[in-house]
Each structure stands twice: as C-alpha cells, then as structure tokens.
Amino acid sequence: MTVTLDNIRRAAERIRPYAHRTPVLTNESLNQQVGAKVFLKCENMQKVGAFKFRGACNAVYSLTDEEAARGVCTHSSGNHAAALALAAKLRGIPAYIVMPNNAPSVKKNAVAGYGGLITFCEPTLEARESTLDRIRLDTGATVVHPYNDERVITGQGTAALELLEDVPNLDVIIAPVGGGGLLSGTAIAATEIQKGIRVIAGEPELADDAYRSMMIGEIIPSMNPKTIADGLLTSLGTLTFPIIQQRVEQIVTVSEKGIIESMKYIWERAKIIIEPSSAVAIGVLWEKKIDLSGLKVGIIISGGNVDLGKLPWQ
Amino acid sequence: MTVTLDNIRRAAERIRPYAHRTPVLTNESLNQQVGAKVFLKCENMQKVGAFKFRGACNAVYSLTDEEAARGVCTHSSGNHAAALALAAKLRGIPAYIVMPNNAPSVKKNAVAGYGGLITFCEPTLEARESTLDRIRLDTGATVVHPYNDERVITGQGTAALELLEDVPNLDVIIAPVGGGGLLSGTAIAATEIQKGIRVIAGEPELADDAYRSMMIGEIIPSMNPKTIADGLLTSLGTLTFPIIQQRVEQIVTVSEKGIIESMKYIWERAKIIIEPSSAVAIGVLWEKKIDLSGLKVGIIISGGNVDLGKLPWQ
C-alpha cells in the first residue's frame, strides 16, 4: 500500500465503521490571540484519544483473513499500543504488545483494558526489538510499526482528508512531528487535495531531531530528548522522512514554555483537553516565529491523553 | 416578552450574529458507562464559556435604542456578569456590574476584561440590592436579572432549540438547576417542539432547594448551600418556578462524589472541559437513581469555567 491520495481515500472508507469522524472546532479568542483563522481537527476526540487509532485501524483491517488470524504485534508504550489493541479487538484478533517493564501503570492499564496481550521486557531498544522478534516468530503475527509503515501513514492521512472536506481552501495545515507518521500522511493528503497548500510541522525545541534532519538532509536520530511533549520523542523513519522532505515546507521548533502556555490557553478558551504533543502544533502559531497572520490554518490536534492529577502548570 | 416557542425562535434569530451555535458531541465510552445514547450540547464552548451569554445577549438586543443607550446593570459575580458585560460591549452600551468586594480576582478580571463597569459592595444580599438600586436610579440602566427575567429565560431556551434541531426525537433532555433560567427555557423549548419529551433536572444534594420546592409546591429559598457546583447556589425565581412545576418531570439530586466523578470522566473520555455545575446534569445519568437506560438523552453542558490550578480531584 503506497501512500497515495487514492489509498488514503480507501483507508477512510475502510476505517469508517470503526473510527470517529472527529469534529472541527474554531475559537474566536484563539484567532485573535494568534492573528489567524484557526480550525482545530479534534483527534483528541478520536477513539483511544488520539489520531493513532486511524493508522492502527487501517493496518489491522488491511490484513487478509489469514494474516489477521495470526494477530498483530508492536513495541510501544504509548497511544499506538492502545490503538492497535483496540483495532485488533474490534476485528477479533490478538494484539501482542511489547512494553518496557518500567512503563507507567496508567499506560499498561490502557492497553490491557483494550484486550492487548502484554509482554514486558527490559527498558532498552534492543530488548524491545528482540522480544518483538521472538513473538513474531512464535505467533506469525504481523508487525505494525507506530509510524514507519505505509498502512499506518495512509491511515493517519485520513484526518487531513476529513479536515479538508469540512474546511476547503485552507492556506496552511500544521501537524506535530515525532516519528513523522501523522505529518507525512497529512502532507500527502493535503498537497494532493489542494495544490499549493503549505504544510508546516511543529516540533519541541528540546526534541528537534526532525528540524535538524531537514537541515542536513538525512535522518538524525533523536538522542535522549527531555520535552514535556512525550508523544514526540521518536526519530523519523525511512518511509516518513522522504515524504516530509518532499512535501513539508518547514519544521518550526517550539519552546517548552510555548508548549505549556498554548496547551493551557486551549484548555481555558477552547474548553478541550489536549495533550502537550498537540500543543506543539498550536505553539507554531503561538510563538509567531513565522508569519501566518490572516491565513486560514488547519491544525491536527493529535491527542488528548493526559494525567489529570499531574498538570504542567501546577 | 412572554416565554413561548415563537419568542425563543425570535431570540435565536436575534442572537445569531453574536452567539456561537455550539457543537453537539457524543462519546461512546460515556454511552456504555451510563447505558443511554447521550448528546452533549456544548455550552461550555459558548462565548464567555457558558450558556449565560444567550440570555444576556437576548436581553441586551431586545432593548430599544433609547433604553439601550442608558445601559444595563445587574448584581452577579459569576458567568452572568461576564455574559452581560460582553453582550453590552458588543452593542456598544455600558454594563454596570455590582460585585461583592470579596469576589475572586479571576471573576473580577473576567468582567473587567469584557469592559464591565464594576461597583464593589459589602458581600450581603442587602448591600448588593441597594447598590444596584442606586446605580439604576443614577443611570437609568435596565436591570437584567440572571434568571428571573423573561428575556433571559427566552434566550436560554435557544440552546435546547438548537439541540433539537440537530438531534430530533430525543426521549429526554436534562439541564442543571440553580435559579432555573436555563431549566425553564429548556423546558418550554423542548416540550413545545416535541410533545412528550421528558424534561429532567439535576441538582446538587447539598443545594436541593429546587427539589424540595417541587415537593412542597412553593419556593424554598436556598440556605447557605455548600456544593462544589458553584453555579447552582441560587434559589428559584417567581418566573422560573411555575414553568418548572408545569413542564419538568422531576428534579434528581446528585451527590458531591457523583458530581466530581462525572466531571472527571467527561474530561478524561470526552476530552472537554466542563465545570462542576454541568457535571450535575451528567450526574443524573451517572448515579442511576432513575432508569433512563436505552434512551436518547440530550444534556445541556452549561459551562466550562474552572480554575485549572485548583481541580477537585487533586
């Protein structure tokens, strides 16, 4: 499944019975604050509270019955793990999830709650990969990578597709970038639907590997990033990077202060719960490092999973 | 302006240029949790973050030019004060707001931020009323009561009107009750649009004056209520009570625990910010004191103004 607009449209049909068509919200205070007309595509209201369900669902429902019967597997402790577990549950197949044994219990519970079969391992990339490999060989399950997978990228592109159906003629579309699954899917959908649309990414200053990768022209791995935007810690993938190079105008870095301020502003004014990784996209407008004044700007609000007992402004 | 469906429709036309048509959201987890099909009319996303803007706006724009020129006035420290200040600002007229001198600075700032002209007084009902009376005599401003005013009740009814346009054939509609402005407007709109619809109110157990008033058949004043739902502390009005008696099936009381639990659940699952007073309406379903299982239930989410630094589950 190469990532094309046609395939994104097919993915939209494929996941329609399972995923939410999320609302697009606007907020006048926000518009005044940032000097643009902003349209928030609320993937925080997607199943499992994040856009990740789109890609996982598309991957799971793209499998043949024979493949599906053997299940799916991944290593992740975040929204992708929960999304894959739920998609597999809906199709009635097993999801084997490899998680580090130091993952927070709230994340373990989320995955277990969706019926994911968790295998714990040491918290190193090597342990994760070898454990995943063993499970794959034992079960014949299909590996679904969180972002470096064309079925996943194609699925993530359906959010931008819906946004542009609801709000045609956007000047700009902004998404946060971590591994680049959402950004590359968004970039293909947006630039194919609407020639000339500007695709811009937000990235935490403290996890600016994608920014630097774009500058230098090759993937620079993310090294021990320490940002509050914990969904954006990963490095770009070999599939996502070329798409981003080709179709994303620029990556704008956002300070931790900008992330927290814009997150709180959205909670207070738009009355929606967004996670720090989503605020990174708002932060592009908030910090005004680039001039988008007067433009129609769509933003993919990537997710809304936060620990309400531990908020960054407390 | 008597409160009729025709007048509610006219109010909807009158406020349309100024008020938001708020979205109606659904959430599958919530539906499963409470065993009903729930439609959330998101007045937390209304201007000033509460349904109060509808009534205030209808009152302000119902004035003749001559009346309007002298301004409007009220005594309130809550959402109504902010709503009236904003509505007056939009019409370009003064809003005189009487507030107790011990009102939290966040509330003073909100009213001042919308251009309200604040007069502080001692924190007693007598001081508030005498201060308001003096301002009215000095300025000729029109008093706009937070709920015991037919223009206000009529304006509040526009939320239910929109909800039933978006989701026809609801079995039940639930609103919280404090002074009864939202509830009585909702009751008239709903029962006139759709014969047989059940109108139910949620009220905090610790501020159950409306519940007791319905039982005994006369208005029992609210005496020092101590609930977290700080928008529902007031007593019923002489205009709202008869409407509620005639058109509201029952008032269901909700425990503080039920208010906080359902508020947190909505934040976590529906990803929207609601204030405790709104959670009282959710609490009717949450605590299952009455059986609404399998029904289509519309809920007016009354507002979303909370202090993010001081949450009830911390």
Side-chain angles (χ1 to χ4, degrees), chain B residues 19-20 57 117 159 207 213 234 236 243 259 268:
Chain B
H20 292 307
C57 190
L117 303 164
S213 300
T234 45
L236 293 174
I243 299 172
I259 296 169
E268 286 180 336

Side-chain angles (χ1 to χ4, degrees), chain A residues 124-140:
Chain A
T124 66
L125 184 59
E126 198 187 358
R128 290 188 188 204
E129 289 185 343
S130 63
T131 307
L132 183 63
D133 219 41
R134 184 169 50 72
I135 288 172
R136 183 179 60 77
L137 291 171
D138 286 354
T139 61

Side-chain angles (χ1 to χ4, degrees), chain A residues 20 23 25 28 44-45 47 49 264 267-273 304-306 308-311 313-314, chain B residues 20 23 25 28 44-45 47 49 264 267-273 304-306 308-311 313-314:
Chain A
H20 293 307
L25 300 179
E28 213 171 291
N44 54 336
M45 298 178 185
K47 287 204 182 152
K264 191 173 183 208
W267 285 43
E268 285 179 337
R269 299 303 183 101
K271 308 296 181 190
I272 57 172
I273 307 257
N305 292 326
V306 291
L308 292 179
K310 206 174 119 187
L311 299 175
W313 45 77
Q314 285 169 335
Chain B
H20 292 307
L25 300 180
E28 214 171 291
N44 53 337
M45 298 179 186
K47 285 202 183 152
K264 190 172 184 208
W267 284 43
E268 286 180 336
R269 299 302 182 102
K271 308 295 181 190
I272 58 173
I273 308 258
N305 292 327
V306 291
L308 292 180
K310 207 174 118 187
L311 299 175
W313 46 77
Q314 285 168 337

Side-chain angles (χ1 to χ4, degrees), chain B residues 264-293:
Chain B
K264 190 172 184 208
Y265 189 88
I266 294 292
W267 284 43
E268 286 180 336
R269 299 302 182 102
K271 308 295 181 190
I272 58 173
I273 308 258
I274 67 170
E275 59 191 44
S277 303
S278 303
V280 171
I282 305 285
V284 171
L285 288 167
W286 186 264
E287 294 197 319
K288 299 184 180 167
K289 284 186 193 168
I290 60 170
D291 183 14
L292 300 174
S293 53

Side-chain angles (χ1 to χ4, degrees), chain B residues 215-237:
Chain B
M215 287 294 151
I216 203 172
E218 60 186 64
I219 298 175
I220 298 176
S222 184
M223 299 296 271
N224 293 314
K226 296 226 164 25
T227 169
I228 190 181
D230 60 358
L232 307 179
L233 303 179
T234 45
S235 310
L236 293 174

